[in-house]
Structure formats: C-alpha cells, structure tokens
Amino acid sequence: MKTQTFLIASAFALAANPALPQDSSSFIEFEAAIELQTDFIVDSDDSDAELTDFFFTIEPAITFNFAEGSTLNASLVFEPIVDADDDRFFEDHGLFVEELFYAQEFGQFEFVVGKFNPAFGVAWDAAPGIYGAEFAEDYEITERIGLGANISLDAGEGFARVLGDIGISVAAFTADRTFLSESIGEDRPRVTIADGGVSNTRSLQSFSAALTGDTENTSYNVGVQYQEGGDGDPNDQFGIVAGVVHSFNEIEVLGEIAYFDGFEGSASDAVYYTGGVTVPVGPVALSGVFTIRDVEDAPTDTLLTASAEYEIFENFTAAIGYKYADEGDVESHTIGTLWVYEF
C-alpha cells in the first residue's frame, strides 16, 4: 500500500511541476498525459468478469532538437501490462517504450527511422468518450521498427482547395523484437520470431500508406496496409480503412470503416464499423459511440458507449462513462470514471 500511495503522489507531483521546458525553441521538449481511470463492471453474463479496476495510464513524450528539422523522439507508456482478472487497485503496471525514432525534415518532407506507429485509421484515437475507441484499437498499428516518410501539402486553389491540407504517410516495417519490446515493472516478455503474428518477420516485409485531409469543418482519412504473416500464421493481412470527422453547429460526428482480409494472419475476414457523435451542452461534452466488429466465423461483437466530460480547469478534465459490450456472445455493462491532466 505504501508503494501504491507513493506512486499516486509522485504522478500528481510530476503533473503539477513539469521539470523540462516545453518551449519549441528548446533543445528538449517534454509533454505528458496522466490518466487515472476506474472501471466498474457491474453486470456480465460471465459472473467472474464482474470486478473493479483502478489504474493509471501515463504517457510522457520527449523530443530532442539537434538542429532545425532534425529530432530524436521518444514516447513511453506506463499502464497495466495484463488485463484484470479480479478486483485490482493500481497493480500490474509496467513502463515500456512505444516509440523511439529519428526524424529529419526537408521542407514539406519528413523521413523517419526507428521504432514508431505507422499510420492507419484514426477511430482508435478520435472516437470520443472513455470507451469509444476500444474496438477500433484492435487495428491500430503500434511498436513497429522500420522506415517511414511523411509529406505535407497545403490547400491549393480551385478543386484542390476542396481537398484541404493533405498529409501522406508511407512506411515499411517489422515488429519490434529488440529489448524495447520488454517492460520495466510488471514483466512484458520480449517478442521473439517464434511468437508469430502479422509483421513479425525477419526483415521489412510489411507496408502501410495513408492519406489524411483537413478542411475548415471536415477531416478525412484513407489508408491501406499489408502485413506479412509471421510464424504459424496461415495468411498475410491486407487492410483498407476510410473515415471522416465533420463538425457543424458545434456538433462533431465521426464515421470510420475498416476491412481486413486474413485478419490477424488467420483465414478470416473482418469488418469494423465505428460511428460517434459529440454534443456540447453548456460546459459538458456529451458523446456516444456505436461500433460493430464482424469477424468471419465468429459471433458479431457490438459496442455501445456514452460519456460526459467536463474541463475542471485548463488541461484537467473529468469524465464519467457507460459501456455496453457484447463480445463472443457475452454481454457486459461497465460504468467508469476518468481523470486526465495534460501538460
């Protein structure tokens, strides 16, 4: 208990007193998000899954500016390494390096090398609420080692102006099997080639490409990916995604569809449909998300969430949310709270 208390106190002390400068002209830039979340699974068809879980997610990011356009970037994650199987109070946390890459800019072009998250879809991050992104997180591509290139194009004239500001990202990668795939604290074993899994190959045999656009009230994305199957995988995974976020009268709506052939290296196809809406009501942002996960030869899963978020003061928000999930024909109801401080 003393260790847990010290951890909580240290986290909020760090939030209140960031030690590193955040001026973009500094050699070192530092930012972080500290989240304190509580999940109460109040009802489930599987009674053993009814539990309470208190946990942190802390995500610091550090950028070293060596010269104009030349940076070394690191992002770390401190969170529970394993899922809760019983009531849990700030247990099972580990710290790992999610990204560590060198980036070099040449005007509108940027080249990256190292460990990074290739671009594919946005619903895993943009879906609103405490639980809105849970299903879409299945297809986020993270912790890959390889090469990437990004191109930024400003909105042009005429028809090109309709497309808005455009970003294009391409990457070639493999799964991280270095010591960076391990964790400090709760143990996360090092990834090996024998673990299998898509993109877990001996060379850069997996690829992704994404296009994003941003106009005055609308942003959109389309992307493709090919991830070579690993040891024991019967198939390679091919995926496509398309999504849009549109704002009108302070209301924001989101929609995204992702399709996969050879999902996770299996013989099955999969489709994800995500829709969300955020409505401001005075100082409170109300949001809801509905997601369908349809994997071939498996029960169709559904996710329905609702959240209310309030900014207590600048960069510090509190939220309460509800989640209904039907996964593998097991229905559950969860109520949760989330406190977030960003700096």
Side-chain angles (χ1 to χ4, degrees):
M1 183 64 70
K2 289 182 180 179
T3 301
Q4 294 165 350
T5 302
F6 174 77
L7 173 64
I8 298 169
S10 298
F12 282 100
L14 176 62
N17 299 285
L20 297 174
Q22 300 179 60
D23 186 342
S24 60
S25 64
S26 301
F27 172 65
I28 300 177
E29 297 177 53
F30 178 78
E31 61 182 19
I34 299 177
E35 302 180 359
L36 171 59
Q37 184 168 335
T38 306
D39 292 338
F40 303 94
I41 303 177
V42 294
D43 183 52
S44 174
D45 291 342
D46 177 7
S47 59
D48 291 337
E50 296 175 3
L51 54 83
T52 299
D53 189 13
F54 292 80
F55 61 94
F56 276 116
T57 301
I58 303 176
E59 298 178 312
I62 305 173
T63 298
F64 298 90
N65 298 292
F66 297 117
E68 185 173 354
S70 179
T71 61
L72 179 65
N73 307 271
S75 61
L76 294 81
V77 178
F78 178 76
E79 66 179 6
I81 298 300
V82 296
D83 294 333
D85 57 10
D86 201 350
D87 290 342
R88 184 169 65 175
F89 187 75
F90 302 112
E91 300 172 37
D92 304 324
H93 287 72
L95 176 69
F96 61 91
V97 178
E98 182 174 82
E99 296 183 285
L100 180 62
F101 63 90
Y102 174 79
Q104 180 64 58
E105 292 184 7
F106 299 96
Q108 295 174 305
F109 296 86
E110 180 187 54
F111 297 94
V112 300
V113 58
K115 180 176 181 177
F116 59 93
N117 299 335
F120 184 80
V122 301
W124 46 263
D125 180 60
I130 299 177
Y131 304 110
E134 280 199 0
F135 278 14
E137 287 174 344
D138 291 353
Y139 58 81
E140 179 186 8
I141 307 175
T142 63
E143 298 193 71
R144 301 304 198 257
I145 287 182
L147 306 170
N150 304 308
I151 306 172
S152 299
L153 302 174
D154 295 334
E157 299 297 330
F159 177 74
R161 189 176 182 84
V162 177
L163 299 178
D165 297 330
I166 292 174
I168 300 172
S169 299
V170 295
F173 53 87
T174 184
D176 175 24
R177 294 186 303 280
T178 71
F179 69 94
L180 296 177
S181 65
E182 301 177 65
S183 63
I184 299 173
E186 182 70 21
D187 181 48
R188 186 176 75 162
R190 183 170 181 167
V191 176
T192 68
I193 202 74
D195 293 330
V198 293
S199 80
N200 189 3
T201 55
R202 291 177 172 81
S203 59
L204 307 184
Q205 296 173 254
S206 299
F207 310 92
S208 68
L211 181 147
T212 59
D214 190 13
T215 66
E216 183 177 356
N217 297 311
T218 304
S219 61
Y220 57 89
N221 79 94
V222 293
V224 296
Q225 62 160 271
Y226 169 80
Q227 297 196 64
E228 183 87 6
D231 282 7
D233 294 331
N235 285 300
D236 306 327
Q237 175 175 283
F238 171 78
I240 57 175
V241 66
V244 63
V245 179
H246 180 68
S247 300
F248 61 95
N249 297 328
E250 298 186 335
I251 298 173
E252 185 175 272
V253 295
L254 171 147
E256 185 165 282
I257 300 175
Y259 167 79
F260 300 91
D261 176 66
F263 182 59
E264 296 183 339
S266 71
S268 300
D269 298 342
V271 186
Y272 287 73
Y273 307 91
T274 301
V277 61
T278 302
V279 180
V281 179
V284 178
L286 302 179
S287 63
V289 173
F290 180 67
T291 303
I292 295 174
R293 177 173 57 199
D294 187 5
V295 181
E296 185 180 10
D297 299 324
T300 299
D301 298 333
T302 56
L303 175 72
L304 177 64
T305 75
S307 295
E309 181 179 323
Y310 175 73
E311 186 175 41
I312 299 174
F313 54 81
E314 186 177 4
N315 298 328
F316 184 60
T317 60
I320 184 170
Y322 164 78
K323 174 180 70 173
Y324 164 79
D326 183 353
E327 301 180 74
D329 287 334
V330 176
E331 298 181 44
S332 63
H333 301 266
T334 303
I335 296 173
T337 62
L338 177 65
W339 305 81
V340 181
Y341 182 65
E342 300 176 306
F343 60 93

